[in-house]
PDB file of all heavy atoms in Angstrom:
ATOM      1  N   PHE A  86      -0.940   0.025   4.945  1.00 98.00           N
ATOM      2  CA  PHE A  86      -1.870  -1.026   4.554  1.00 98.00           C
ATOM      3  C   PHE A  86      -3.264  -0.454   4.352  1.00 98.00           C
ATOM      4  O   PHE A  86      -4.002  -0.876   3.449  1.00 98.00           O
ATOM      5  CB  PHE A  86      -1.915  -2.129   5.613  1.00 98.00           C
ATOM      6  CG  PHE A  86      -2.792  -3.297   5.228  1.00 98.00           C
ATOM      7  CD1 PHE A  86      -2.285  -4.343   4.476  1.00 98.00           C
ATOM      8  CD2 PHE A  86      -4.123  -3.344   5.621  1.00 98.00           C
ATOM      9  CE1 PHE A  86      -3.096  -5.410   4.116  1.00 98.00           C
ATOM     10  CE2 PHE A  86      -4.939  -4.407   5.265  1.00 98.00           C
ATOM     11  CZ  PHE A  86      -4.428  -5.446   4.506  1.00 98.00           C
ATOM     12  N   PHE A  87      -3.638   0.532   5.174  1.00 98.00           N
ATOM     13  CA  PHE A  87      -4.955   1.150   5.089  1.00 98.00           C
ATOM     14  C   PHE A  87      -4.931   2.465   4.308  1.00 98.00           C
ATOM     15  O   PHE A  87      -5.806   3.310   4.481  1.00 98.00           O
ATOM     16  CB  PHE A  87      -5.512   1.363   6.492  1.00 98.00           C
ATOM     17  CG  PHE A  87      -5.824   0.076   7.207  1.00 98.00           C
ATOM     18  CD1 PHE A  87      -4.895  -0.491   8.072  1.00 98.00           C
ATOM     19  CD2 PHE A  87      -7.018  -0.591   6.993  1.00 98.00           C
ATOM     20  CE1 PHE A  87      -5.167  -1.688   8.729  1.00 98.00           C
ATOM     21  CE2 PHE A  87      -7.293  -1.791   7.635  1.00 98.00           C
ATOM     22  CZ  PHE A  87      -6.367  -2.344   8.505  1.00 98.00           C
ATOM     23  N   GLY A  88      -3.923   2.643   3.445  1.00 98.00           N
ATOM     24  CA  GLY A  88      -3.881   3.783   2.547  1.00 98.00           C
ATOM     25  C   GLY A  88      -3.388   5.077   3.150  1.00 98.00           C
ATOM     26  O   GLY A  88      -3.443   6.116   2.492  1.00 98.00           O
ATOM     27  N   LEU A  89      -2.873   5.045   4.388  1.00 98.00           N
ATOM     28  CA  LEU A  89      -2.423   6.264   5.068  1.00 98.00           C
ATOM     29  C   LEU A  89      -0.910   6.399   4.933  1.00 98.00           C
ATOM     30  O   LEU A  89      -0.169   6.460   5.920  1.00 98.00           O
ATOM     31  CB  LEU A  89      -2.849   6.227   6.543  1.00 98.00           C
ATOM     32  CG  LEU A  89      -4.339   5.958   6.790  1.00 98.00           C
ATOM     33  CD1 LEU A  89      -4.636   5.924   8.291  1.00 98.00           C
ATOM     34  CD2 LEU A  89      -5.220   6.987   6.098  1.00 98.00           C
ATOM     35  N   GLY A  90      -0.437   6.463   3.701  1.00 98.00           N
ATOM     36  CA  GLY A  90       0.997   6.371   3.429  1.00 98.00           C
ATOM     37  C   GLY A  90       1.805   7.580   3.830  1.00 98.00           C
ATOM     38  O   GLY A  90       3.032   7.494   3.909  1.00 98.00           O
ATOM     39  N   ASN A  91       1.171   8.726   4.065  1.00 97.00           N
ATOM     40  CA  ASN A  91       1.904   9.893   4.550  1.00 97.00           C
ATOM     41  C   ASN A  91       1.947   9.949   6.074  1.00 97.00           C
ATOM     42  O   ASN A  91       2.391  10.937   6.656  1.00 97.00           O
ATOM     43  CB  ASN A  91       1.292  11.180   3.989  1.00 97.00           C
ATOM     44  CG  ASN A  91       1.855  11.522   2.620  1.00 97.00           C
ATOM     45  OD1 ASN A  91       3.064  11.503   2.412  1.00 97.00           O
ATOM     46  ND2 ASN A  91       0.975  11.816   1.672  1.00 97.00           N
ATOM     47  N   GLY A  92       1.455   8.866   6.722  1.00 97.00           N
ATOM     48  CA  GLY A  92       1.552   8.778   8.173  1.00 97.00           C
ATOM     49  C   GLY A  92       0.577   9.652   8.917  1.00 97.00           C
ATOM     50  O   GLY A  92       0.743   9.895  10.120  1.00 97.00           O
ATOM     51  N   ILE A  93      -0.472  10.116   8.236  1.00 96.00           N
ATOM     52  CA  ILE A  93      -1.453  11.027   8.810  1.00 96.00           C
ATOM     53  C   ILE A  93      -2.838  10.418   8.639  1.00 96.00           C
ATOM     54  O   ILE A  93      -3.169   9.890   7.571  1.00 96.00           O
ATOM     55  CB  ILE A  93      -1.391  12.406   8.117  1.00 96.00           C
ATOM     56  CG1 ILE A  93       0.005  13.028   8.292  1.00 96.00           C
ATOM     57  CG2 ILE A  93      -2.457  13.348   8.650  1.00 96.00           C
ATOM     58  CD1 ILE A  93       0.235  14.241   7.422  1.00 96.00           C
ATOM     59  N   TYR A  94      -3.666  10.503   9.671  1.00 97.00           N
ATOM     60  CA  TYR A  94      -5.023   9.970   9.590  1.00 97.00           C
ATOM     61  C   TYR A  94      -5.902  10.854   8.703  1.00 97.00           C
ATOM     62  O   TYR A  94      -5.855  12.081   8.778  1.00 97.00           O
ATOM     63  CB  TYR A  94      -5.668   9.901  10.976  1.00 97.00           C
ATOM     64  CG  TYR A  94      -5.161   8.782  11.849  1.00 97.00           C
ATOM     65  CD1 TYR A  94      -4.180   9.022  12.811  1.00 97.00           C
ATOM     66  CD2 TYR A  94      -5.666   7.495  11.732  1.00 97.00           C
ATOM     67  CE1 TYR A  94      -3.721   8.011  13.635  1.00 97.00           C
ATOM     68  CE2 TYR A  94      -5.211   6.468  12.542  1.00 97.00           C
ATOM     69  CZ  TYR A  94      -4.238   6.724  13.495  1.00 97.00           C
ATOM     70  OH  TYR A  94      -3.786   5.717  14.300  1.00 97.00           O
ATOM     71  N   TYR A  95      -6.729  10.234   7.874  1.00 97.00           N
ATOM     72  CA  TYR A  95      -7.823  10.893   7.184  1.00 97.00           C
ATOM     73  C   TYR A  95      -8.877   9.831   6.895  1.00 97.00           C
ATOM     74  O   TYR A  95      -8.572   8.634   6.828  1.00 97.00           O
ATOM     75  CB  TYR A  95      -7.357  11.574   5.889  1.00 97.00           C
ATOM     76  CG  TYR A  95      -6.685  10.648   4.902  1.00 97.00           C
ATOM     77  CD1 TYR A  95      -7.438   9.919   3.980  1.00 97.00           C
ATOM     78  CD2 TYR A  95      -5.304  10.504   4.880  1.00 97.00           C
ATOM     79  CE1 TYR A  95      -6.816   9.057   3.090  1.00 97.00           C
ATOM     80  CE2 TYR A  95      -4.686   9.648   3.981  1.00 97.00           C
ATOM     81  CZ  TYR A  95      -5.444   8.927   3.098  1.00 97.00           C
ATOM     82  OH  TYR A  95      -4.833   8.070   2.209  1.00 97.00           O
ATOM     83  N   ALA A  96     -10.114  10.246   6.774  1.00 98.00           N
ATOM     84  CA  ALA A  96     -11.212   9.311   6.567  1.00 98.00           C
ATOM     85  C   ALA A  96     -11.398   9.037   5.081  1.00 98.00           C
ATOM     86  O   ALA A  96     -11.343   9.950   4.254  1.00 98.00           O
ATOM     87  CB  ALA A  96     -12.497   9.874   7.162  1.00 98.00           C
ATOM     88  N   TRP A  97     -11.607   7.768   4.747  1.00 98.00           N
ATOM     89  CA  TRP A  97     -11.948   7.381   3.379  1.00 98.00           C
ATOM     90  C   TRP A  97     -12.556   5.990   3.405  1.00 98.00           C
ATOM     91  O   TRP A  97     -12.435   5.275   4.398  1.00 98.00           O
ATOM     92  CB  TRP A  97     -10.716   7.416   2.460  1.00 98.00           C
ATOM     93  CG  TRP A  97      -9.688   6.345   2.711  1.00 98.00           C
ATOM     94  CD1 TRP A  97      -8.788   6.280   3.736  1.00 98.00           C
ATOM     95  CD2 TRP A  97      -9.450   5.180   1.910  1.00 98.00           C
ATOM     96  NE1 TRP A  97      -8.002   5.161   3.629  1.00 98.00           N
ATOM     97  CE2 TRP A  97      -8.384   4.465   2.520  1.00 98.00           C
ATOM     98  CE3 TRP A  97     -10.017   4.683   0.751  1.00 98.00           C
ATOM     99  CZ2 TRP A  97      -7.882   3.280   1.994  1.00 98.00           C
ATOM    100  CZ3 TRP A  97      -9.516   3.493   0.222  1.00 98.00           C
ATOM    101  CH2 TRP A  97      -8.461   2.810   0.839  1.00 98.00           C
ATOM    102  N   GLU A  98     -13.231   5.609   2.322  1.00 98.00           N
ATOM    103  CA  GLU A  98     -13.824   4.281   2.267  1.00 98.00           C
ATOM    104  C   GLU A  98     -13.827   3.760   0.839  1.00 98.00           C
ATOM    105  O   GLU A  98     -13.900   4.521  -0.122  1.00 98.00           O
ATOM    106  CB  GLU A  98     -15.245   4.283   2.817  1.00 98.00           C
ATOM    107  CG  GLU A  98     -16.222   5.159   2.069  1.00 98.00           C
ATOM    108  CD  GLU A  98     -17.630   5.078   2.650  1.00 98.00           C
ATOM    109  OE1 GLU A  98     -18.034   3.965   3.031  1.00 98.00           O
ATOM    110  OE2 GLU A  98     -18.299   6.116   2.710  1.00 98.00           O
ATOM    111  N   SER A  99     -13.724   2.445   0.731  1.00 98.00           N
ATOM    112  CA  SER A  99     -13.790   1.751  -0.548  1.00 98.00           C
ATOM    113  C   SER A  99     -14.459   0.409  -0.306  1.00 98.00           C
ATOM    114  O   SER A  99     -14.914   0.110   0.796  1.00 98.00           O
ATOM    115  CB  SER A  99     -12.384   1.569  -1.121  1.00 98.00           C
ATOM    116  OG  SER A  99     -11.659   0.597  -0.367  1.00 98.00           O
ATOM    117  N   ALA A 100     -14.477  -0.431  -1.336  1.00 98.00           N
ATOM    118  CA  ALA A 100     -15.116  -1.738  -1.212  1.00 98.00           C
ATOM    119  C   ALA A 100     -14.374  -2.659  -0.257  1.00 98.00           C
ATOM    120  O   ALA A 100     -14.989  -3.547   0.343  1.00 98.00           O
ATOM    121  CB  ALA A 100     -15.233  -2.386  -2.590  1.00 98.00           C
ATOM    122  N   VAL A 101     -13.053  -2.474  -0.105  1.00 98.00           N
ATOM    123  CA  VAL A 101     -12.261  -3.433   0.677  1.00 98.00           C
ATOM    124  C   VAL A 101     -11.493  -2.813   1.835  1.00 98.00           C
ATOM    125  O   VAL A 101     -11.092  -3.527   2.756  1.00 98.00           O
ATOM    126  CB  VAL A 101     -11.286  -4.211  -0.234  1.00 98.00           C
ATOM    127  CG1 VAL A 101     -12.034  -5.242  -1.060  1.00 98.00           C
ATOM    128  CG2 VAL A 101     -10.499  -3.259  -1.147  1.00 98.00           C
ATOM    129  N   LEU A 102     -11.260  -1.518   1.824  1.00 98.00           N
ATOM    130  CA  LEU A 102     -10.549  -0.843   2.901  1.00 98.00           C
ATOM    131  C   LEU A 102     -11.294   0.433   3.273  1.00 98.00           C
ATOM    132  O   LEU A 102     -11.892   1.092   2.406  1.00 98.00           O
ATOM    133  CB  LEU A 102      -9.118  -0.476   2.484  1.00 98.00           C
ATOM    134  CG  LEU A 102      -8.129  -1.607   2.205  1.00 98.00           C
ATOM    135  CD1 LEU A 102      -6.825  -1.038   1.648  1.00 98.00           C
ATOM    136  CD2 LEU A 102      -7.856  -2.419   3.474  1.00 98.00           C
ATOM    137  N   SER A 103     -11.234   0.787   4.556  1.00 98.00           N
ATOM    138  CA  SER A 103     -11.820   2.053   4.976  1.00 98.00           C
ATOM    139  C   SER A 103     -11.125   2.544   6.235  1.00 98.00           C
ATOM    140  O   SER A 103     -10.571   1.755   7.009  1.00 98.00           O
ATOM    141  CB  SER A 103     -13.325   1.924   5.224  1.00 98.00           C
ATOM    142  OG  SER A 103     -13.584   1.121   6.363  1.00 98.00           O
ATOM    143  N   VAL A 104     -11.150   3.862   6.428  1.00 98.00           N
ATOM    144  CA  VAL A 104     -10.662   4.507   7.641  1.00 98.00           C
ATOM    145  C   VAL A 104     -11.744   5.482   8.089  1.00 98.00           C
ATOM    146  O   VAL A 104     -12.164   6.350   7.320  1.00 98.00           O
ATOM    147  CB  VAL A 104      -9.340   5.257   7.402  1.00 98.00           C
ATOM    148  CG1 VAL A 104      -8.879   5.949   8.679  1.00 98.00           C
ATOM    149  CG2 VAL A 104      -8.262   4.307   6.884  1.00 98.00           C
TER     150      VAL A 104
END
Side-chain angles (χ1 to χ4, degrees):
F86 184 87
F87 293 95
L89 307 179
N91 274 312
I93 300 169
Y94 285 98
Y95 57 86
W97 70 285
E98 61 178 321
S99 71
V101 286
L102 294 173
S103 68
V104 178

